[in-house]
Amino acid sequence: MTTHSSTGPDLPVGGGLRARKAAVAAGYAAQGLGYAAVMTALPTFQDTWGIDETGVSLILLGTCVMAGLGSVAADFLAVRRGSRVAVCAALAVQTVAIATMALAPAYGVFLAAVIVYGIGLGTMDAAVNMQGTMLEARTGIAHLGRFYAAYTAAAALGAVAMSGFLSSSAGAVGALFTAAVVQIAVAAFGFGALDPSRERAAPKTDPRAADDARPVLPRRAIWVVGIVLMAAYMLDSAVSTWSTVYLTEAFDGVARLAPLGYALYQATTLISRLLTDRLEMRWGVTRLAIAAIVIGLAGCIVVAAVPTFAGAVTGFAIAGVAVGMLVPVTFAAAGRILPARRDEVIARVNLFNYVGVILGAVTIGAIASGSGIGPAFLIPAAGLLAVIPAVRRIHAHTGSVVAGRSAADQSPADQSPSR
C-alpha cells in the first residue's frame, strides 16, 4: 500500500509559481491585518459594551481556547479537502465574524462573533503554515521568514489604519470592514492560486484498515518542536501584553513615549524576519533557533536588569529579533518532521502557539505590577532557557532544506504518485 505524496501536483513554474507564492504571502498578511484590526478595536468594544479589564482578559483567553479548536478544524479540513480549502474557509469565517463584531446589535451577538472569530483565527494559523511549509518543501527554498514578515507588516499597517479610521467618522467599524473585505478578497485569490493538494493515505480494499497505511505521527518530535514554539510565543505575548503597561506605570516622566517599546519590538521583528530565510539556508534551523534563543535571553535580561526607560525599550527591541526568527524557523522544522502527514503535524504543533500566548500574558500579570513587571520578564527568559535541549534535538527529528526540495521530502513514503 502506497501513501500519496505531500507534494501534490507538479509545482507550477513562472507566473504560476509567483502567483502561488503571492497567495501564500497574502494569506499571512490577511491574518496579520485582521488580527491587528480586532485587537486595536478592543477599546471601542469596551466602550460600546461596558467591558472591564477582567472582561477583556476573559475574551482574549476565550479566543485562544477557540483558536485551539480552530487548529483542530484545520487538521480535519486539510486531510479531507486540502489546506487550500482550510485557508479559504478560515478567511470566510473571519470575514463574517469581524463584520458581525462591528455591527453586533446585542452583547450576546458580539460574544458569539468573538467565539467564531477565534475558531477562524486558529484554523487560519494552522492552514496558512501548512501552505507555507508545503511550498518550502516543493521548492527547497526557505520562505517562512518572508511570509511572517508579510504578517508583521500587515499587522503594523492594520494598527496604523485603525488609528486613522478612529480619527474619522468611520471609526473602528470602518477599519474592521476594511479588514473583512481584504480577507474575503484574499480567500477568492487563494482559491485559485494556492496549492490544492492534500496529504492522505490511499484507499484500501478493506476500508477498516485504511489508517494502517499511514505513517504513525511522531508525537515526540511534535512535542520537541512544539515546546520551542510555545517558548517563542510566551515571549511574544509577554512583550505584546505588558511592554506598554510597564513603560507607562514604571516611568511616569516619559509615559507618553510608552508605545515606543512595542513599536521598536515590531520593527526589529520585521527586520529579523526579512533576514531569516537567508540565515536559515546558510546556518540551518538548529543553529538559527539557538541563536534566536540566546538573543531572546539577552533581551529579557536587559528588561529585567536595567530599570530605566532606555533599558526596557532596548530589551524589547532585542526580544523582537529573537521572536522574529524563532517562530518561522520552528514552523519550518515542523513542516519537515513527517512530509507524508505534514498538515496534521503542523496543526498539532500550532496548538503550542496558544499555550505560549496564555502563559506569556497570564504569568507576568499574576506575579507583578508597575515597576515589578520588568523583573518578571525573567519568566519568559526561563522558558527560553528550558527549551534549549529541545532545540538541540530538532535536527534529529527533521530534514533540512536542500536544492530542489527539503531533505525530509525525500523519504520513500513521499515518493509515490500524487493524488
Side-chain angles (χ1 to χ4, degrees):
M1 177 57 59
T2 59
T3 303
H4 289 290
S5 167
S6 64
T7 59
D10 290 338
L11 186 67
V13 296
L17 179 57
R18 286 193 293 271
R20 182 163 295 178
K21 290 179 180 179
V24 178
Y28 281 87
Q31 180 78 331
L33 180 68
Y35 186 73
V38 172
M39 291 300 103
T40 54
L42 281 177
T44 299
F45 294 146
Q46 284 185 270
D47 292 341
T48 301
W49 304 112
I51 306 171
D52 59 15
E53 298 300 322
T54 301
V56 171
S57 297
L58 290 175
I59 286 174
L60 294 176
L61 176 60
T63 300
C64 286
V65 172
M66 300 313 296
L69 295 179
S71 191
V72 174
D75 183 1
F76 180 88
L77 284 172
V79 170
R80 289 158 180 79
R81 295 289 182 267
S83 56
R84 177 187 65 169
V85 171
V87 166
C88 296
L91 288 171
V93 167
Q94 288 190 46
T95 298
V96 173
I98 291 173
T100 303
M101 279 189 273
L103 298 177
Y107 185 57
V109 176
F110 169 76
L111 285 181
V114 170
I115 290 172
V116 172
Y117 174 74
I119 295 172
L121 182 74
T123 304
M124 185 62 179
D125 277 342
V128 77
N129 278 303
M130 293 172 189
Q131 283 285 321
T133 54
M134 192 184 302
L135 183 61
E136 282 198 338
R138 296 294 304 278
T139 61
I141 299 172
H143 283 86
L144 290 190
R146 70 198 79 174
F147 290 155
Y148 270 97
Y151 175 100
T152 303
L157 178 61
V160 171
M162 177 61 76
S163 178
F165 274 105
L166 289 175
S167 301
S168 71
S169 58
V173 171
L176 290 168
F177 266 93
T178 299
V181 169
V182 169
Q183 290 194 320
I184 202 64
V186 171
F189 174 45
F191 193 79
L194 292 172
D195 194 327
S197 62
R198 66 182 187 270
E199 291 134 6
R200 55 170 301 193
K204 280 188 173 184
T205 304
D206 180 3
R208 294 171 299 179
D211 288 342
D212 296 339
R214 310 175 76 186
V216 176
L217 281 173
R219 290 181 174 82
R220 178 173 295 182
I222 289 171
W223 273 85
V224 165
V225 175
I227 62 174
V228 177
L229 185 69
M230 180 180 70
Y233 274 104
M234 185 177 178
L235 175 57
D236 177 64
S237 178
V239 177
S240 300
T241 305
W242 296 107
S243 61
T244 302
V245 175
Y246 174 49
L247 294 173
T248 300
E249 295 185 359
F251 309 103
D252 294 334
V254 287
R256 68 186 184 282
L257 300 177
L260 181 62
Y262 187 63
L264 286 177
Y265 170 77
Q266 288 291 347
T268 55
T269 298
L270 176 60
I271 292 169
S272 67
R273 285 178 170 171
L274 290 171
L275 299 174
T276 293
D277 293 335
R278 183 176 298 178
L279 292 174
E280 182 190 337
M281 295 293 290
R282 180 176 298 178
W283 294 354
V285 165
T286 301
R287 284 196 291 175
L288 185 56
I290 290 177
I293 286 178
V294 171
I295 293 170
L297 284 169
C300 291
I301 291 171
V302 169
V303 174
V306 184
T308 65
F309 184 88
V313 169
T314 300
F316 294 140
I318 294 171
V321 175
V323 173
M325 292 188 293
L326 195 54
V327 171
V329 299
T330 304
F331 271 116
R336 298 170 199 149
I337 290 175
L338 183 61
R341 300 184 70 176
R342 180 180 292 116
D343 291 349
E344 295 166 274
V345 171
I346 291 292
R348 285 159 175 77
V349 168
N350 186 58
L351 293 172
F352 290 84
N353 167 351
Y354 309 114
V355 177
V357 169
I358 293 170
L359 287 175
V362 171
T363 54
I364 289 181
I367 68 169
S369 63
S371 60
I373 293 176
F377 269 83
L378 291 176
I379 296 172
L384 290 171
L385 190 63
V387 301
I388 288 179
V391 174
R392 294 171 64 88
R393 295 174 58 195
I394 284 179
H395 71 280
H397 298 288
T398 65
S400 58
V401 174
V402 295
R405 295 184 63 190
S406 74
D409 272 270
Q410 304 300 323
S411 61
D414 199 34
Q415 297 300 311
S416 56
S418 61
R419 182 178 178 87

